[in-house]
Each structure stands twice: as C-alpha cells, then as structure tokens.
Amino acid sequence: MALSRLRGPVKEISKSHAPSFLRARFLSSSSSRSLSRPPCVQNSLVGGHGSLLRPASLFLLTGVQNNSLKLKLWVGGIKHFSSADPSHTVLQMPAMSPTMSQGNIAKWRKKEGDRIEVGDVLCEIETDKATLELESLEEGFLAKILVPDGSKDVPVGQPIAITVEDQDDIQNVPATVAGGSDIKEETTNKNVKNENKGQEKSSIKTSASALPPHILVEMPALSPTMNQGNIAKWLKKEGDKINVGDVICEIETDKATLEFECLEEGYLAKILAPEGSKDVAVGQPIAITVEDPADIETVNNSVSSGSEIKEAKPTHRDDGNEAKTQKTSVVRISPSAKLLITEYGLDSSSLKASGSHGTLLKGDVLAAIKSGKGSSSKEKTLPSPQKASPAVSTDSRSHIKQSDSFEDLPNSQIRKVIARRLLESKQNTPHLYLSSDVILDPLLSLRKELKEKHGVKVSVNDIVIKAVAVALRNVPEANAYWNAEKGEVILCDSVDISIAVATEKGLMTPIVRNADQKTLSSISLEIKELAEKARAGKLSPNEFQGGTFSISNLGMFPVDHFCAIINPPQAGILAVGRGNKVVEVVIGSDGVERPAVVTKMNLTLSADHRVFDGKVGGSFFSALGSNFSDVRRLLL
C-alpha cells in the first residue's frame, strides 16, 4: 500500500539546535478503525510565542508516486530552554488533515523513559479521516506522556508528551509540565462549552485505568446525518462470547434501525447503555468488551452500572443550576406571567424564576398558583365588597389546570429528521405546483387483463411508478436536481423513483432504481419487499438514500388531491389522489361526442422552480398523460 506521509518542523527552535520533525503514516480508514465521528472545523497552529496562527496553506504537494500524494504539514511543538529546568520539547497534537480539529490517542507505542530513534512510531492517532502513526525524525527520550491511551477529542495544539535529549533529564522535568495541568487549563479555558464534556470523559478514563485490558465500545455514526441514536435492543447479554461479525445490538438512527456488528472477538463484559436508551450521542460509550472471560467479573465490580458514568455530567450541571438559582433573583417578568401575578395578587419576589437571566415565566406563576400561593394573596389584596369572587377564581384556576393538562408523545429519530428536513425544504426550495387529471380507465382495464389472462397481479401504484419513470426518461430535464454550490441544474443519469411508505416510526422513502427499465411485475415485487423492510425498520442505507424523483400516493384514502413537499435534493414529487367516477363528454370511435362515465385521478406535481419552469413541467405532464391514455406502451 502506498503511504501518505505528513511532516512538519517544530516551532520555537533555538538556533543551536537542529529542527525536530514528526511524521504521520496512514494506517486505516476511520470507517473500519474508529467508531466515533469528531466534528470537523478549521485548524489552527501554534506560532512562535504560543499564539494561534492560520497557515496560508496547510498542505504542499511535493510529488506523486504510486498514485498516492506526498503531503507536507506543519506540526505544533515547543522547545523549552531554561537555566533552572532541563532542555525539553513539548509535543502537541498535530493537525493531520485539513478538517481535523481534534483527535484520539488510540495507542502509545513508546513508554515513559524509552529511547526514541529516528523513524520510531511514538503513538497511533485517530483523526476525522483515518488512523495515523506518529513517527519521530529526531532522537531523544520520552520523558512524560501527558495524554494517556484511549484519550478522546484531544484538541489540535494540546500538549500530549514531553521529550528530552539527555536520559538524565527525565527525572528533572518540571512538575508543572509533567503534570500537564497548567497546559491543559490554558487549552480548556479557550473553550468553556466543552468543559463538562471533558470532565465526563475524564471520569470514564479514571475508572477505565483500574480495569483489565478492555475495549470501550462507543455509539457509532451509522449514517452521514447521525449525531445520536437509540438502543433499540441488545442481542448479546453480559458475559456472552462475541465472534467477528456477530450482531451485538440494534440501533435506531435518524434513518432506520440498523444492526451493529462487532469487528473483534471477545466477551461482552458490561452494557453501559441499556435497552431503550434514547438520544445516545455518537461517541458515547455503550458497552465494554474484554478478551479474557476471567476479566468479566472485574469489570462488573469496577463499573456498577452505566448510569454512574452518565450521571457525572448531569450532577455537575445540577450543582451549577442550584448555585445560579440561589444567586439570581427575579430580574425580568414575561408579559403572560405579569398578567397572572396581577390577576391572582401574587408577590413576584416570593416566586422562583426558572428563565434565563432571572426571567420569571408563565410556568413559574402557574406552579405557584397550583401550590396554593395565589388564594391567600389574592384575598388580601381584593377589597371587601368583592369577597364573593373566590368562587370565580376557583373556577378560573380549575380551567387553567384543565387547559394545562397534556400528554407528551416521544418522537422517534426518524420523525425528528423528517420534521427538520420538511421545514428546510419549504424554507429553502421555491415550490412550483402543477396539477392535471388523467383518465384511469385504460390503466384499470390493463390491470384486470394482466390478472385474468396472465396471472400477474400489479397495483395501480405499480403502473403509476412505471408511467412516471418513462415520462422522466422522455423528459430528461425533469429528472434533475439543483446544485447549490455550482448554481446550476444537474441532469441525473438514471431514473430512480422514491416511494413514500408510511411506518409507525415515520415516513420512509425506499427507492426503485432504474424504474424505467424494469417490467411491471418486477416493480411490483420490489415495492412489496421494500415496503415490508421499511415497516420493519430493516432498510439498508443504499435502499433509501438517493433517488431522483418521489411519488406520494394517497389514493387508498378518501383524498382527491393534495400537494406534497419536495424531498431535497430531489427537484420533484408527484402527489397521487384517489380515482373518482365522473360524467364527461367522450368522443366515440365514430367521432360522435357522447356523455359517459369515466374514472379520473388527480396528479399534482410539486417541483423546484429553479429546475422546473413552465415548459419543463408542461412537457412532463404531456408525456405522463400519453402514458396513461396509451398504457400498453409501458409493456414495451
């Protein structure tokens, strides 16, 4: 395998010392090595005085050999010289890819005190793209490891180790540097929002250090848009043996329910995220595996339950909220809360504000009214002639209680994504609506003939799919999408029809690929299989991702016509209503017009106006109408 090498000189080098280098070597893609998916942001490098610099170009192309690119990369590192402390070099987490902002220390190949030769691998680093080996191009000794094995989300530029040139200097490394606390504080203070996350992960590392050799299984990113998932079901129990390829659990993502296969042998020692866990973040530990079955009991004794690891973060937040509540008084009152305070004669200073910056919300006042604070206060403030009004206030309070009663229905990951994407589609896509009626009688006659004479059972929806696919093939301008980056229309090579299927978890859109080239019977069989998989949540990503055009059919319901919402990045979706019998003037074979009963079906196209103009939309409906009027052409 050709290797991509990354090199870079260490910053702040004394004139009397030769430059120090670090080199990274490609190991494997992150899809097979790492289960976490770090966020991708821009890189910064440490400059001459510890300041953050933005390099003009991170990568410089130096040559092409064996179809691989050799890339050169500056890596942050600081050499320190002092009369009191020995000369040492602080190695920092390097930026090994243009999108890398943090990395994981997968494994240290060198131990503290080991000698380092030119070309020795110091450690393995998991980036947002691959797992790389960090090589040294300078001799020395590894004096201190600041970031241990298994450390996650180490920011680029954070110190990870200290090297010295003289072995005698290992014991003389200053305590402040050796501990790494001062350096880490400077780094973490730059991003206060990640403080809680770091504390949670450090608590996991602390408990993990006391465990026997083990693997921490994290929530994987099973789809491009997944940032959290639900543990639907554990197929392995604690103590079970795991072979390569065994399915250990089912994970509900934002697209479907997928099986999580294990890539290494071992034993499932501890389940950290139990069955039914919701909104488990990508990268969060869900289980612990070990190689030796004798270590299972040790892991169980060390890690009592998964909730203890997860509670480290909420406990910290609760303490902060309590302290904030004690220090913060009511600063602002919302308008609805102010009306309730006036109506019930409450003292705002005695109420607890739960809103941001000490804002008293309507819910805070309602909670106080339910607890009985409102009745006594209101009776004191009301004048004596109006003492008969407590009955009215009681009725109003009961009315508030009734209106305040509701039931929360938890949303699945699929429904959350659908809600977000539909909103984005209506906000960002200019919808154009075109509608037309087609006569359904030729289609119904063909369907009946196929069933009686040939024993082939197809549905109306199967024939509609074929008719739409052939129309898209004949009007290629309609089988396209809008490329926002280029600002132009991109024509699709194949006709792939997405079919809307209603499931308990939400609407899924399995795809019939190359529908224009398939027969009616094959389309019918494929639709049945895909619909069954969709309702069971067993669709694979390639069966619902992609598609060039969508069809939503509500003909089985009493819906005459409706307008569907475009499924980006597609440019069109056809809404199919039910068939209705109407009386219409029909020209007979003798050329005489006569009234007749025909079955008509409404078709409404929702199209991206950046792709479809009136001409393209009209041409598409003309081709579609011809397919319905002469439906036998679909058999060719």
Side-chain angles (χ1 to χ4, degrees), residues 215-266:
I215 296 176
L216 204 60
V217 181
E218 300 174 345
M219 172 65 75
L222 299 176
S223 75
T225 58
M226 176 180 174
N227 54 22
Q228 58 186 11
N230 304 333
I231 303 294
K233 183 180 180 181
W234 280 99
L235 301 180
K236 294 287 185 179
K237 301 188 297 293
E238 293 182 358
D240 286 358
K241 179 172 177 57
I242 303 172
N243 295 315
V244 176
D246 282 357
V247 178
I248 59 176
C249 66
E250 294 180 357
I251 297 176
E252 183 186 71
T253 72
D254 56 346
K255 298 292 186 183
T257 300
L258 304 175
E259 294 178 340
F260 183 27
E261 295 185 0
C262 187
L263 301 179
E264 296 185 16
E265 293 184 356

XYZ file of all heavy atoms in Angstrom, residues 215-266:
400
model
N -11.967 -3.077 25.739
C -12.310 -2.174 24.640
C -13.591 -1.466 25.000
O -14.582 -2.099 25.384
C -12.483 -2.937 23.312
C -11.156 -3.572 22.894
C -12.976 -2.000 22.206
C -11.258 -4.417 21.632
N -13.576 -0.145 24.900
C -14.759 0.661 25.167
C -15.523 0.838 23.853
O -15.054 1.501 22.937
C -14.361 2.021 25.742
C -15.390 2.767 26.585
C -15.788 1.957 27.811
C -14.838 4.113 27.015
N -16.678 0.203 23.743
C -17.489 0.280 22.521
C -18.331 1.551 22.582
O -19.068 1.768 23.547
C -18.401 -0.950 22.381
C -19.214 -0.860 21.096
C -17.572 -2.223 22.390
N -18.200 2.390 21.567
C -18.901 3.670 21.543
C -20.059 3.635 20.547
O -20.094 2.798 19.646
C -17.932 4.802 21.177
C -16.779 4.938 22.149
C -15.772 5.960 21.681
O -15.820 6.336 20.491
O -14.930 6.391 22.487
N -21.011 4.561 20.740
C -22.105 4.701 19.780
C -21.535 5.116 18.427
O -20.915 6.169 18.311
C -23.104 5.736 20.274
C -24.184 6.094 19.260
S -25.295 4.718 18.862
C -26.299 4.653 20.343
N -21.709 4.292 17.392
C -21.122 4.622 16.096
C -22.000 5.580 15.301
O -23.193 5.729 15.577
C -21.056 3.253 15.405
C -22.233 2.516 15.965
C -22.407 2.993 17.396
N -21.392 6.226 14.311
C -22.137 7.054 13.361
C -22.508 6.172 12.181
O -21.685 5.882 11.316
C -21.291 8.242 12.910
N -23.751 5.711 12.143
C -24.194 4.734 11.149
C -24.808 5.369 9.915
O -25.247 4.665 9.018
C -25.191 3.757 11.783
C -24.643 2.934 12.963
C -25.736 2.070 13.567
C -23.478 2.061 12.522
N -24.902 6.700 9.886
C -25.386 7.395 8.688
C -24.742 8.767 8.656
O -24.298 9.277 9.693
C -26.916 7.517 8.700
O -27.331 8.510 9.617
N -24.667 9.409 7.487
C -23.992 10.699 7.385
C -24.602 11.788 8.257
O -23.900 12.695 8.689
C -24.120 11.043 5.887
C -24.346 9.743 5.207
C -25.108 8.899 6.170
N -25.909 11.720 8.529
C -26.566 12.782 9.296
C -26.760 12.413 10.755
O -27.384 13.154 11.495
C -27.945 13.086 8.682
O -28.737 11.885 8.674
C -27.801 13.601 7.260
N -26.240 11.282 11.184
C -26.497 10.798 12.553
C -25.578 11.478 13.544
O -24.362 11.512 13.368
C -26.295 9.281 12.603
C -26.449 8.695 13.994
S -26.189 6.908 14.006
C -26.252 6.566 15.749
N -26.163 12.066 14.594
C -25.367 12.583 15.705
C -25.781 11.976 17.040
O -25.149 12.231 18.055
C -25.451 14.118 15.771
C -26.889 14.619 15.817
O -27.805 13.889 16.190
N -27.085 15.858 15.427
N -26.846 11.209 17.033
C -27.262 10.474 18.214
C -28.164 9.324 17.773
O -28.677 9.310 16.650
C -27.998 11.381 19.202
C -29.229 12.056 18.628
C -29.845 13.062 19.593
O -29.247 13.409 20.597
N -31.045 13.510 19.293
N -28.348 8.345 18.642
C -29.169 7.192 18.299
C -29.797 6.575 19.535
O -29.477 6.946 20.669
N -30.694 5.636 19.313
C -31.385 4.944 20.393
C -30.986 3.467 20.378
O -30.868 2.865 19.315
C -32.907 5.052 20.242
C -33.372 6.495 20.164
O -32.717 7.402 20.685
N -34.493 6.724 19.505
N -30.779 2.909 21.566
C -30.500 1.478 21.668
C -31.837 0.751 21.640
O -32.573 0.729 22.630
C -29.737 1.136 22.959
C -28.430 1.940 23.029
C -29.446 -0.357 23.030
C -27.427 1.599 21.973
N -32.182 0.174 20.482
C -33.476 -0.494 20.343
C -33.491 -1.832 21.069
O -34.444 -2.150 21.785
C -33.812 -0.694 18.861
N -32.409 -2.625 20.914
C -32.406 -3.956 21.520
C -30.979 -4.485 21.582
O -30.196 -4.319 20.643
C -33.280 -4.915 20.678
C -33.410 -6.312 21.252
C -34.283 -7.173 20.346
C -34.441 -8.584 20.903
N -35.255 -9.442 20.023
N -30.627 -5.106 22.708
C -29.342 -5.796 22.838
C -29.544 -7.263 22.472
O -30.371 -7.961 23.072
C -28.802 -5.682 24.261
C -28.135 -4.375 24.539
C -28.669 -3.294 25.168
C -26.805 -4.008 24.177
N -27.769 -2.268 25.217
C -26.597 -2.673 24.616
C -25.756 -4.658 23.528
C -25.406 -1.997 24.431
C -24.565 -3.982 23.332
C -24.399 -2.676 23.782
N -28.803 -7.745 21.475
C -28.893 -9.128 21.050
C -27.897 -10.014 21.783
O -27.949 -11.239 21.687
C -28.668 -9.229 19.532
C -29.659 -8.417 18.681
C -29.338 -8.586 17.205
C -31.095 -8.852 18.958
N -26.947 -9.420 22.481
C -25.996 -10.140 23.315
C -26.188 -9.709 24.764
O -26.468 -8.535 25.043
C -24.550 -9.863 22.881
C -24.193 -10.400 21.506
C -24.062 -11.913 21.517
C -23.580 -12.428 20.168
N -23.431 -13.902 20.159
N -26.026 -10.659 25.674
C -26.128 -10.357 27.097
C -24.731 -10.250 27.695
O -23.751 -10.700 27.102
C -26.928 -11.458 27.811
C -28.344 -11.648 27.282
C -29.135 -12.601 28.146
C -28.536 -14.002 28.146
N -28.635 -14.661 26.827
N -24.655 -9.655 28.885
C -23.375 -9.550 29.578
C -22.833 -10.946 29.863
O -23.539 -11.800 30.394
C -23.541 -8.751 30.873
C -23.882 -7.300 30.647
C -23.990 -6.523 31.954
O -23.823 -7.148 33.021
O -24.252 -5.312 31.914
N -21.584 -11.163 29.490
C -20.946 -12.461 29.664
C -20.933 -13.291 28.406
O -20.212 -14.299 28.336
N -21.735 -12.920 27.369
C -21.784 -13.696 26.131
C -20.484 -13.549 25.345
O -19.850 -12.478 25.351
C -22.956 -13.242 25.255
C -24.293 -13.729 25.792
O -24.278 -14.445 26.814
O -25.332 -13.385 25.210
N -20.110 -14.607 24.642
C -18.947 -14.553 23.762
C -19.340 -13.869 22.457
O -20.448 -14.061 21.949
C -18.413 -15.956 23.484
C -17.200 -15.956 22.537
C -16.569 -17.317 22.441
C -15.420 -17.318 21.433
N -14.378 -16.333 21.753
N -18.431 -13.069 21.914
C -18.672 -12.330 20.678
C -17.662 -12.788 19.635
O -16.451 -12.772 19.885
C -18.534 -10.807 20.899
C -19.480 -10.333 22.003
C -18.814 -10.057 19.607
C -19.254 -8.893 22.391
N -18.161 -13.215 18.502
C -17.303 -13.572 17.375
C -17.341 -12.453 16.332
O -18.246 -11.614 16.335
C -17.755 -14.889 16.741
C -17.604 -16.056 17.694
O -16.575 -16.196 18.363
N -18.626 -16.895 17.773
N -16.360 -12.460 15.443
C -16.308 -11.447 14.388
C -17.556 -11.558 13.522
O -17.896 -12.641 13.032
C -15.045 -11.621 13.535
C -15.056 -10.631 12.369
C -13.799 -11.430 14.373
N -18.269 -10.447 13.345
C -19.484 -10.427 12.536
C -20.754 -10.621 13.324
O -21.844 -10.486 12.766
N -20.647 -10.933 14.629
C -21.850 -11.085 15.451
C -22.545 -9.742 15.641
O -21.887 -8.706 15.826
C -21.492 -11.652 16.832
C -21.239 -13.158 16.782
O -21.391 -13.728 15.703
O -20.893 -13.739 17.830
N -23.867 -9.756 15.576
C -24.659 -8.553 15.834
C -24.848 -8.435 17.349
O -25.427 -9.329 17.979
C -26.025 -8.614 15.130
C -26.838 -7.375 15.461
C -25.834 -8.740 13.631
N -24.347 -7.354 17.941
C -24.438 -7.216 19.400
C -25.668 -6.411 19.816
O -26.185 -6.590 20.904
C -23.154 -6.581 19.977
C -22.899 -5.196 19.373
C -21.965 -7.480 19.750
C -21.702 -4.488 19.994
N -26.135 -5.510 18.949
C -27.333 -4.742 19.311
C -27.944 -4.136 18.059
O -27.330 -4.111 16.998
C -27.007 -3.641 20.325
S -25.941 -2.330 19.696
N -29.191 -3.647 18.209
C -29.885 -2.918 17.151
C -29.971 -1.451 17.554
O -30.391 -1.137 18.670
C -31.289 -3.487 16.927
C -31.294 -4.899 16.377
C -32.695 -5.434 16.164
O -33.658 -4.705 16.506
O -32.846 -6.563 15.664
N -29.574 -0.579 16.646
C -29.508 0.860 16.925
C -30.475 1.588 16.007
O -30.442 1.407 14.788
C -28.077 1.402 16.740
C -27.128 0.732 17.735
C -28.040 2.913 16.903
C -25.680 1.128 17.565
N -31.322 2.406 16.595
C -32.262 3.216 15.825
C -31.603 4.553 15.520
O -31.316 5.342 16.418
C -33.557 3.436 16.612
C -34.607 4.211 15.838
C -35.814 4.542 16.687
O -35.680 5.396 17.584
O -36.876 3.963 16.470
N -31.345 4.800 14.236
C -30.709 6.044 13.824
C -31.760 7.020 13.348
O -32.960 6.794 13.498
C -29.694 5.762 12.697
O -30.408 5.447 11.494
C -28.799 4.589 13.046
N -31.297 8.122 12.743
C -32.219 9.112 12.203
C -32.829 8.647 10.882
O -33.676 9.340 10.323
C -31.506 10.453 11.994
C -30.278 10.319 11.114
O -29.845 9.165 10.893
O -29.743 11.335 10.667
N -32.420 7.482 10.371
C -32.940 6.978 9.103
C -33.674 5.649 9.254
O -34.726 5.447 8.667
C -31.791 6.804 8.092
C -31.066 8.089 7.739
C -31.938 9.033 6.963
C -31.130 10.253 6.510
N -31.959 11.241 5.818
N -33.108 4.735 10.027
C -33.694 3.397 10.145
C -33.102 2.709 11.356
O -32.267 3.259 12.064
C -33.418 2.588 8.873
N -33.557 1.488 11.600
C -32.998 0.653 12.657
C -31.981 -0.290 12.028
O -32.314 -1.087 11.153
C -34.104 -0.148 13.363
O -35.042 0.767 13.929
C -33.517 -0.994 14.465
N -30.726 -0.177 12.463
C -29.634 -0.930 11.866
C -29.003 -1.860 12.883
O -29.038 -1.599 14.086
C -28.564 0.025 11.305
C -29.054 1.052 10.279
C -27.923 1.991 9.908
C -29.588 0.366 9.041
N -28.424 -2.948 12.388
C -27.722 -3.889 13.249
C -26.264 -3.474 13.388
O -25.618 -3.097 12.411
C -27.810 -5.301 12.659
C -29.231 -5.855 12.635
C -29.289 -7.235 12.004
O -28.337 -7.577 11.271
O -30.259 -7.969 12.250
N -25.750 -3.537 14.627
C -24.377 -3.132 14.923
C -23.536 -4.398 15.074
O -23.704 -5.154 16.021
C -24.362 -2.283 16.191
C -22.997 -1.746 16.541
C -22.049 -1.539 15.563
C -22.666 -1.448 17.858
C -20.809 -1.035 15.875
C -21.432 -0.945 18.183
C -20.488 -0.740 17.187
N -22.659 -4.635 14.102
C -21.833 -5.834 14.115
C -20.498 -5.563 14.789
O -19.957 -4.459 14.716
C -21.591 -6.327 12.677
C -22.846 -6.790 11.969
C -22.541 -7.364 10.607
O -21.354 -7.395 10.235
O -23.474 -7.785 9.903
N -19.970 -6.602 15.440
C -18.677 -6.498 16.113
C -17.574 -6.929 15.160
O -17.724 -7.900 14.408
C -18.668 -7.363 17.372
S -17.182 -7.153 18.371
N -16.458 -6.198 15.184
C -15.350 -6.481 14.282
C -14.220 -7.227 14.976
O -13.196 -7.506 14.346
C -14.810 -5.179 13.675
C -15.828 -4.354 12.873
C -15.174 -3.095 12.351
C -16.389 -5.173 11.725
N -14.346 -7.505 16.283
C -13.300 -8.208 17.016
C -13.922 -9.253 17.929
O -15.044 -9.094 18.399
C -12.455 -7.224 17.839
C -11.689 -6.219 17.000
C -10.772 -5.363 17.863
O -10.519 -5.754 19.014
O -10.311 -4.319 17.382
N -13.148 -10.320 18.193
C -13.611 -11.346 19.107
C -13.434 -10.900 20.553
O -12.586 -10.060 20.855
C -12.836 -12.648 18.871
C -13.119 -13.303 17.528
C -12.399 -14.632 17.402
O -11.635 -14.981 18.326
O -12.591 -15.314 16.383
N -14.229 -11.486 21.431
C -14.113 -11.159 22.839
C -15.362 -11.566 23.595
O -16.128 -12.437 23.151
